[in-house]
Amino acid sequence: MPTKRKGYSEGPVAFKRKGVYYYLYTLSGHEHYEYAYGYSRQSPLGPYTWPEQDIILITDKEAKIYGPGHGNVFHEPGTDNYYFIYLEFGNGGTTRQIWVDKMEFNEDGTIRQVKLTAWSLLQMAGSGRHAEVTKTASCNHHIQIISPEK
C-alpha cells in the first residue's frame, strides 16, 4: 500500500476502532525500527489519511527499548483499551524481546505516540490478566485479555 513514508516498510497491521480503520506499518530496520500509521473513515481499502504526526513507536533510549517493530494490536473486550504488542530488535544485536504497551487515542481518532514501558506478557499475567491467543478462520491471530474469575 502506498504511504506517505518512502522506502522499505513491512509488518503491516490493520484494525478497526469506533468506525475508523487503521493501517500500521514498520519502517527502517534493526534498532532503528519504528511504526507509522494511516487511517480511513470509509473502508479498510481507503482512502487513507496520513497524519502529520504518524510515527507512534520509535526507539526509546531512556527506556532501553531499541527498534520496536513487527507488532499487533489487541483490544480488551467491553472497554476502549487497546494494546500494542511488538518485538524489540535490541541494541547492537537481535535480542527480540516481546513487549506490550497501551495505546491512546486523541478525540479526533488519531493515535498518540505509544509510551514504551517494557511491560511483558508475564507482567500482564501478574496483574490479574492473561493473554489468550486464538486463531480465526482467516488465519489472523487475535489476542484477547481475559480477567480472572473472582
Side-chain angles (χ1 to χ4, degrees), residues 43-116:
S43 161
L45 301 176
Y48 275 82
T49 299
W50 308 100
E52 186 175 329
Q53 301 294 339
D54 68 329
I55 301 294
I56 59 167
L57 271 84
I58 192 166
T59 290
D60 184 335
K61 292 179 183 177
E62 195 171 298
K64 298 183 177 165
I65 299 175
Y66 299 88
H70 296 274
N72 207 338
V73 174
F74 62 99
H75 171 244
E76 185 174 0
T79 73
D80 192 34
N81 295 333
Y82 285 78
Y83 299 89
F84 198 84
I85 184 169
Y86 57 92
L87 289 174
E88 174 204 10
F89 184 85
N91 185 15
T94 306
T95 57
R96 295 290 186 180
Q97 302 298 314
I98 299 173
W99 306 123
V100 59
D101 288 303
K102 188 169 184 184
M103 298 178 76
E104 295 182 347
F105 298 83
N106 296 308
E107 287 294 319
D108 65 359
T110 55
I111 304 173
R112 295 180 187 166
Q113 188 167 347
V114 176
K115 178 168 177 35
L116 306 182

Side-chain angles (χ1 to χ4, degrees), residues 2 6 26 48 56 63 66 90 116 127 129 136:
K6 305 296 181 218
T26 303
Y48 275 82
I56 59 167
Y66 299 88
L116 306 182
S127 72
R129 297 176 170 166
T136 66

